[in-house]
Amino acid sequence: MANIKSQIKRNKTNEKKRLLNKSKKAAAHTAIRGVEEAVKAGKKEEALKALSLAHKRIDKLAGDGVISANKAARLKSHLDSAVNAL
């Protein structure tokens, strides 16, 4: 356990940031799941709407530094391929 004042503060801010990042990732994964379920059901219109939301959430994650730009591109490419296959 830290006993230096600045380190105690740093630990608190790190924990807040970790929880915020976790929440953002969960929202993105929910959007991704929406696209995958629409693709599995064969609903192209619904999949396109969900894809737009998923792209927005993934870009936000990459912009905030939660995930790398390469991972964001990989996720979006995977989703695009799935929707285009419909």
Side-chain angles (χ1 to χ4, degrees):
M1 189 70 181
N3 59 358
I4 296 168
K5 192 173 184 181
S6 62
Q7 189 58 45
I8 291 169
K9 181 179 178 183
R10 174 54 53 203
N11 288 344
K12 285 182 187 178
T13 58
N14 285 346
E15 182 64 14
K16 287 179 189 175
K17 193 68 169 176
R18 184 185 72 82
L19 293 174
L20 186 62
N21 288 344
K22 184 177 176 184
S23 173
K24 289 178 184 178
K25 276 187 183 181
H29 285 300
T30 301
I32 291 168
R33 194 175 321 115
V35 175
E36 291 172 347
E37 288 174 358
V39 167
K40 191 179 284 188
K43 301 177 181 176
K44 185 153 184 143
E45 285 296 320
E46 189 178 318
L48 288 172
K49 285 183 181 178
L51 181 67
S52 175
L53 177 64
H55 274 228
K56 182 179 175 183
R57 296 256 169 96
I58 291 169
D59 287 336
K60 182 72 174 154
L61 282 181
D64 290 345
V66 178
I67 62 174
S68 72
N70 284 347
K71 181 170 183 174
R74 189 172 64 245
L75 287 171
K76 293 192 312 184
S77 174
H78 172 75
L79 293 175
D80 288 343
S81 297
V83 171
N84 288 336
L86 284 178

